[in-house]
């Protein structure tokens, strides 16, 4: 097949037809034709030559040119595509480095193999252009709901026709045991759109919490208009969900607006989610109030928030415990996801029992350590003293404010407490040294001798060992295993070590060892609110 004998206008018509069919720019198809013809010409004239082809967009005429670039004498590597300034003077009066010498070469006749190669190049470029077009079209639809038609099922995954492309709904993104047949209509949330070697991949989800949020946005005009804001969503797909809403207009009830007349709006969402039970909860800036709302329908007697540890304790009446926890812990788990806090639920009886145990434990500590009678030790605990350090180093006036305590008694109390603490420190230092602790750990500011002893028992014996610890190893925390919360005991948790304190101590150790440059930490840009939330 010779390009010169082909109908040149037919070339343009072919490009137009392909572009229209694949819904891409016709110029991209013509560029692919130019590349394929250039490759065929190189196989004819030599692969080292820089052969370029330009197809006239109006006439369809293909012009073949050979390009040589002017380079310095010592930079010539390819004599077919480069030439020196002296050589270039034959073609140009005052050639300069970087100039291009362009000569027209005769068009080539495409043999069977060359024509096949050219076809492959064109198809490849068209496919790439089609993928780019598809990615550009769907990348902006990430985070929205899309309607499609089921094409087929592959290993439990559903392939969905979404118009100008295909999307995949993985089996773990389906609600419960829902099944689909070919040509069924489906509505799903566009969770991600990614470029991959086989083309753009569109990942759908029906279990993502944001799928429910987007459904509410479609059903509730006030959410779409921004009058009502969805602050948090938590789901147990196919079973139960909680959604927290806030109204920016005092005259509009956010919960009532989401429920709708006779439940019409929420029922539309429930129907799409295969009967998932939805609790609509008013959001509140106060964590304790929000949590009380989140644990509905259970009643809450008392809430104790530990902001440093990110934990919250909830006390409920004995008969409300099963309702607060929910079936298989579902209610408390969803409330925890909604508020972003670890929630411990206690009954009133359990809390009373725990308080009594703490009272007895502190009383015994003061009796044993300070050689006090039980009544006086209980008086100290009742006044809010929880440990010996508080007694030893508190302002003397606080002890004098206790009924029946004079200045001499207060000074004697503090002296006994300090003597006991010093004796305990001495014993802890001796025990730690016997375990092989290096002096660098004793000298590190922020660790008491008892802490050093506890670290040594866990085989942390040098400052280098300490610097390699994780914050949760020191302060403890909670992890979720198979849906159940499991407690991780921290080495220093019994000393009241918080995660933030642990992070600061570990970073200080790394700086002292020279592992971290403090100036680099100071230069790091602060996280934006959005980045912190992510």
């Amino acid at each position: 097949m010779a390009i010169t004998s082909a109908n040149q206008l037919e070339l343009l018509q072919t490009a137009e037809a392909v572009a229209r069919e694949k819904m891409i720019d016709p110029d991209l198809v013509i560029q692919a034709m130019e590349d394929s013809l250039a490759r065929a010409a190189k196989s004819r004239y030599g692969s080292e030559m820089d052969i370029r082809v330009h197809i006239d967009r109006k006439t369809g005429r293909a012009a073949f040119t050979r390009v040589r670039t002017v380079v310095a004498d010592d930079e010539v590597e390819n004599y077919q595509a480069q030439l020196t300034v002296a050589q270039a003077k034959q073609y140009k009066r005052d050639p300069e480095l970087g100039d291009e010498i362009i000569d027209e070469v005769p068009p080539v006749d495409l043999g069977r193999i060359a024509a096949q190669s050219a076809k492959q190049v064109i198809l490849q470029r068209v496919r790439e252009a089609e993928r780019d077009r598809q990615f550009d079209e769907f990348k902006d639809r990430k985070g929205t709901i899309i309607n499609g038609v089921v094409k087929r099922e592959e290993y439990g995954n559903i392939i969905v026709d979404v118009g100008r492309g295909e999307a995949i709904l993985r089996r773990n993104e389906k609600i419960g045991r829902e099944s689909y047949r070919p040509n069924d209509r489906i509505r799903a949330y566009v969770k991600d759109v990614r470029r991959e070697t086989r083309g753009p991949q569109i990942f759908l989800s029906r279990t993502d919490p944001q799928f429910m949020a987007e459904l509410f946005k479609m059903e509730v005009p006030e959410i779409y208009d921004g009058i009502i804001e969805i602050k948090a969503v938590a789901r147990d797909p196919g079973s139960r969900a909680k959604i927290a809403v806030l109204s920016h207009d005092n005259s509009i009830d956010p919960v009532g607006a989401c429920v709708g007349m006779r439940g019409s709006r929420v029922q539309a969402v429930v129907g799409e989610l295969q009967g998932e039970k939805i609790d609509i909860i008013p959001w509140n800036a106060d964590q304790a109030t929000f949590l009380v709302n989140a644990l509905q329908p259970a009643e809450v007697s008392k809430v104790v928030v530990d902001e440093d540890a990110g934990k919250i304790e909830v006390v409920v009446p004995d008969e409300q415990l099963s309702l607060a926890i929910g079936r298989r812990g579902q209610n408390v788990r969803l409330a925890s996801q909604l508020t972003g806090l670890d929630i411990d639920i206690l009954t009133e009886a359990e809390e009373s029992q725990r308080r009594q145990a703490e009272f007895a434990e502190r009383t015994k500590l003061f009796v044993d350590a300070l050689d006090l009678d039980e009544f006086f030790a209980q008086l100290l605990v009742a006044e809010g003293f929880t440990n010996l350090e508080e007694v030893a180093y508190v302002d003397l006036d606080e002890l004098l404010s206790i009924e029946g305590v004079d200045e001499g008694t207060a000074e004697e109390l503090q002296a006994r407490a300090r003597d006991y603490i010093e004796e305990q420190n001495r014993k802890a230092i001796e025990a730690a040294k016997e375990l092989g602790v290096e002096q660098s750990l004793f000298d590190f500011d922020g660790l008491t001798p008892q802490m050093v002893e506890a670290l040594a028992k866990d085989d942390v014996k040098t400052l280098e060992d300490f610097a390699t610890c994780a914050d949760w190893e020191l302060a403890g925390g909670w992890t979720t295993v198979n849906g159940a919360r499991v407690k991780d005991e921290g080495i220093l948790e019994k000393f009241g070590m918080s995660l933030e304190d642990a992070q600061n101590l570990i970073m200080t150790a790394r700086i002292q060892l020279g592992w971290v440059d403090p100036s680099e930490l100071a230069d790091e840009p602060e996280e934006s609110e959005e980045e912190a939330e992510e």
Side-chain angles (χ1 to χ4, degrees):
M1 158 183 148
I3 191 69
T4 50
S5 63
N7 186 333
Q8 295 172 343
L9 287 176
E10 192 178 328
L11 204 62
L12 296 179
Q13 291 168 357
T14 303
E16 287 280 355
V18 172
R20 199 162 42 246
E21 180 188 346
K22 301 295 184 182
M23 303 173 78
I24 57 177
D25 186 355
D27 196 56
L28 291 173
V29 182
I30 295 176
Q31 287 176 19
M33 290 177 171
E34 289 172 342
D35 288 347
S36 63
L37 290 172
R39 180 177 293 188
K42 281 185 180 182
S43 65
R44 167 75 179 276
Y45 292 114
S47 59
E48 293 184 349
M49 284 192 182
D50 185 2
I51 302 290
R52 302 178 190 177
V53 178
H54 176 73
I55 297 176
D56 191 293
R57 273 31 174 194
K58 293 182 179 179
T59 64
R61 179 182 177 274
F64 290 71
T65 55
R66 174 191 182 188
V67 180
R68 287 176 289 177
T69 306
V70 179
V71 297
D73 294 357
D74 57 346
E75 292 181 4
V76 177
E77 295 178 354
N78 180 1
Y79 290 99
Q80 298 289 352
Q82 295 171 327
L83 71 172
T84 64
V85 174
Q87 292 170 335
K89 287 180 179 178
Q90 302 175 44
Y91 309 97
K92 195 173 184 179
R93 180 172 294 176
D94 296 311
E96 294 180 1
L97 296 179
D99 285 353
E100 291 184 341
I101 307 300
I102 300 173
D103 303 317
E104 192 164 344
V105 295
V108 297
D109 291 338
L110 295 184
R112 184 175 59 83
I113 295 175
Q116 190 66 27
S117 175
K119 182 180 177 183
Q120 291 298 326
V121 172
I122 293 171
L123 289 174
Q124 178 66 25
R125 289 290 295 273
V126 167
R127 272 197 296 269
E128 289 173 2
E130 191 178 11
R131 288 171 180 173
D132 290 340
R133 189 266 310 156
Q134 194 179 76
F135 179 78
D136 291 339
E137 180 179 343
F138 285 99
K139 68 179 180 182
D140 296 328
R141 299 190 67 176
K142 181 180 175 181
T144 64
I145 288 178
I146 198 169
N147 293 311
V149 177
V150 175
K151 289 187 73 175
R152 62 187 182 279
E153 184 174 347
E154 295 178 354
Y155 307 108
N157 302 324
I158 304 297
I159 308 301
V160 182
D161 183 350
V162 289
R164 297 181 181 176
E166 287 185 354
I168 182 170
L169 177 67
R170 297 189 185 279
R171 55 185 171 186
N172 60 328
E173 297 288 352
K174 294 190 292 185
I175 298 174
R177 297 179 180 177
E178 63 183 4
S179 60
Y180 295 96
R181 295 179 179 178
N183 298 321
D184 283 354
R185 297 203 63 80
I186 187 171
R187 183 188 285 183
Y189 177 76
V190 182
K191 191 172 184 178
D192 198 9
V193 181
R194 294 200 299 260
R195 285 186 187 272
E196 293 189 0
T197 51
R198 53 185 176 175
Q201 296 295 301
I202 305 161
F203 296 96
L204 304 180
S205 174
R206 285 175 56 81
T207 61
D208 194 285
Q210 288 305 312
F211 179 47
M212 188 174 77
E214 289 296 316
L215 287 172
F216 269 104
K217 190 182 292 185
M218 294 171 68
E219 296 293 337
V220 184
E222 291 87 348
I223 295 177
Y224 183 82
D225 295 335
I227 300 170
I228 294 175
E229 181 184 354
I230 297 174
K231 299 292 287 186
V233 183
R235 288 182 67 193
D236 193 349
S239 177
R240 191 171 179 185
K242 291 180 184 284
I243 180 169
V245 290
L246 171 69
S247 175
H248 296 294
D249 186 337
N250 293 333
S251 65
I252 295 178
D253 171 28
V255 176
C258 291
V259 171
M261 187 71 69
R262 298 181 181 176
S264 58
R265 291 175 174 177
V266 72
Q267 284 305 317
V269 178
V270 169
E272 181 63 46
L273 299 179
Q274 305 292 323
E276 196 168 307
K277 185 177 182 295
I278 301 173
D279 296 334
I280 303 172
I281 294 158
W283 185 84
N284 197 295
D286 179 62
Q287 280 186 331
T289 306
F290 182 34
L291 182 60
V292 171
N293 295 339
L295 282 170
Q296 292 176 1
E299 296 176 9
V300 176
S301 304
K302 187 168 70 173
V303 175
V304 181
V305 180
D306 185 348
E307 293 183 355
D308 292 335
K311 287 196 306 184
I312 199 161
E313 282 186 353
V314 177
V315 181
V316 298
D318 293 19
E319 68 277 5
Q320 292 281 315
L321 180 63
S322 60
L323 191 60
I325 294 174
R327 185 166 55 91
R328 297 179 183 174
Q330 187 182 64
N331 194 50
V332 69
R333 185 171 65 251
L334 290 175
S336 179
Q337 291 174 15
L338 204 67
T339 57
L341 292 167
D342 283 332
I343 302 171
D344 291 331
I345 294 187
L346 304 172
T347 63
E348 290 174 345
E350 287 173 338
E351 197 229 358
S352 173
Q353 197 173 20
R354 191 185 67 177
R355 278 193 283 111
Q356 289 173 8
E358 286 177 355
F359 190 89
E361 184 182 344
R362 289 169 185 167
T363 300
K364 186 175 186 304
L365 171 66
F366 291 145
V367 168
D368 295 343
L370 303 179
D371 194 23
L372 302 175
D373 61 46
E374 188 172 354
F375 174 77
F376 198 86
Q378 288 176 348
L379 190 60
L380 281 177
V381 177
E383 288 293 329
F385 290 94
T386 60
N387 55 55
L388 292 171
E389 284 76 9
E390 289 178 0
V391 176
Y393 303 111
V394 77
D395 191 70
L396 200 64
D397 290 341
E398 291 198 33
L399 288 172
L400 292 174
S401 66
I402 301 174
E403 187 178 350
V405 176
D406 56 23
E407 190 170 342
T409 306
E411 288 175 350
E412 176 64 21
L413 271 176
Q414 288 198 320
R416 290 185 187 182
R418 287 168 182 165
D419 288 345
Y420 186 84
I421 290 170
E422 287 173 7
E423 177 63 18
Q424 293 301 109
N425 286 347
R426 186 187 63 77
K427 290 180 179 178
I429 290 170
E430 288 180 0
K433 284 182 176 178
E434 286 182 10
L435 290 168
V437 172
E438 290 187 3
Q439 190 62 37
S440 60
L441 205 55
F442 285 116
D443 296 339
F444 183 66
D445 191 25
L447 295 177
T448 65
Q450 286 89 351
M451 289 180 180
V452 174
E453 183 186 6
L455 288 167
K457 288 177 179 177
D458 212 77
D459 209 29
V460 178
K461 300 178 181 179
T462 68
L463 191 60
E464 286 82 356
D465 293 342
F466 182 77
T468 58
C469 289
D471 50 10
W472 60 267
E473 288 181 284
L474 301 182
W478 293 85
T479 53
T480 302
V481 179
N482 296 329
R485 291 171 69 242
V486 179
K487 184 73 175 73
D488 293 320
E489 295 295 338
I491 304 172
L492 304 181
E493 188 174 357
K494 63 182 179 182
F495 301 102
M497 177 74 66
S498 69
L499 273 175
E500 186 178 356
D501 292 338
Q503 289 167 1
N504 291 335
L505 285 175
I506 292 167
M507 188 55 67
T508 302
R510 290 172 181 174
I511 290 171
Q512 286 187 14
L513 291 168
W515 296 358
V516 175
D517 186 349
S519 62
E520 292 180 2
L521 294 176
D523 292 340
E524 285 183 2
E526 292 186 7
E527 282 186 318
S528 65
E529 288 184 13
E530 291 82 358
E531 288 173 332
E533 285 174 6
E534 287 172 7

